Amino acid sequence: GVDSDGVGNLWLLEESENMDSLWLIHILANGERKETGMQFPLGGSEVYGCGSSSGVFVFHPSSECDDFEGQLTYIYHDAEIPSDRVSEDQWTSAVIGECPTDTKFASDGKGSLWALMVDDDDECMFWKCDSVGMTPVHDWGLPFASTELVGG
């Protein structure tokens, strides 16, 4: 998958040479590729830019989740370091939470994500996902299947 970081660059999940995983790459506007050193499973991993060149979300399968869930992880570096000067060992990750595999995500354009998901009781809820966790924001009464989230 590929997504904009919202500030002129791209995030890319690129298949590894031996085709057994995906590497997270930050591609700067000048074409320079910045390796993050972060690796994710094939099959179901998606990248979500959030309006920041110093952080990105990846939703991916995890051994800690059941078959109908995935893990939302935030990958980041110190925002004081310009993106073109960040080395691979300066990237860190934090698990934000587990979500159903059909969760819909969109950037808020300010470093966080909006998430729309249905729980085990078929209740639909709108969530705010940031670098430290997930917060329920609002019940969602409209049909989940036909709702599209558009990023900011």
Side-chain angles (χ1 to χ4, degrees):
V2 65
D3 200 12
S4 168
D5 68 2
V7 293
N9 309 301
L10 294 175
W11 293 106
L12 171 68
L13 285 174
E14 183 175 73
E15 203 167 309
S16 63
E17 286 183 24
N18 55 3
M19 298 184 291
D20 65 349
S21 62
L22 299 169
W23 289 98
L24 179 64
I25 312 289
H26 198 203
I27 301 175
L28 306 182
N30 65 7
E32 184 180 357
R33 296 168 54 93
K34 300 299 287 183
E35 307 285 334
T36 65
M38 298 291 169
Q39 200 171 2
F40 296 94
L42 284 172
S45 293
E46 293 291 332
V47 63
Y48 295 97
C50 59
S52 170
S53 63
S54 62
V56 64
F57 291 87
V58 177
F59 185 61
H60 58 92
S62 170
S63 59
E64 298 172 21
C65 301
D66 67 27
D67 291 342
F68 303 104
E69 290 182 326
Q71 193 171 72
L72 185 63
T73 301
Y74 184 66
I75 292 77
Y76 61 98
H77 69 79
D78 182 345
E80 300 297 315
I81 305 170
S83 291
D84 61 346
R85 300 187 192 271
V86 177
S87 65
E88 188 174 309
D89 62 349
Q90 292 173 306
W91 290 92
T92 306
S93 67
V95 174
I96 302 305
E98 296 175 0
C99 306
T101 53
D102 63 352
T103 299
K104 298 177 182 186
F105 295 101
S107 170
D108 73 350
K110 300 174 185 173
S112 300
L113 289 183
W114 294 111
L116 186 65
M117 65 184 91
V118 178
D119 66 18
D120 294 337
D121 299 323
D122 286 331
E123 300 288 328
C124 196
M125 181 68 79
F126 206 45
W127 294 71
K128 180 78 169 230
C129 308
D130 60 26
S131 62
V132 295
M134 298 172 54
T135 306
V137 176
H138 194 283
D139 289 333
W140 191 256
L142 299 175
F144 177 79
S146 61
T147 299
E148 291 293 325
L149 293 185
V150 178

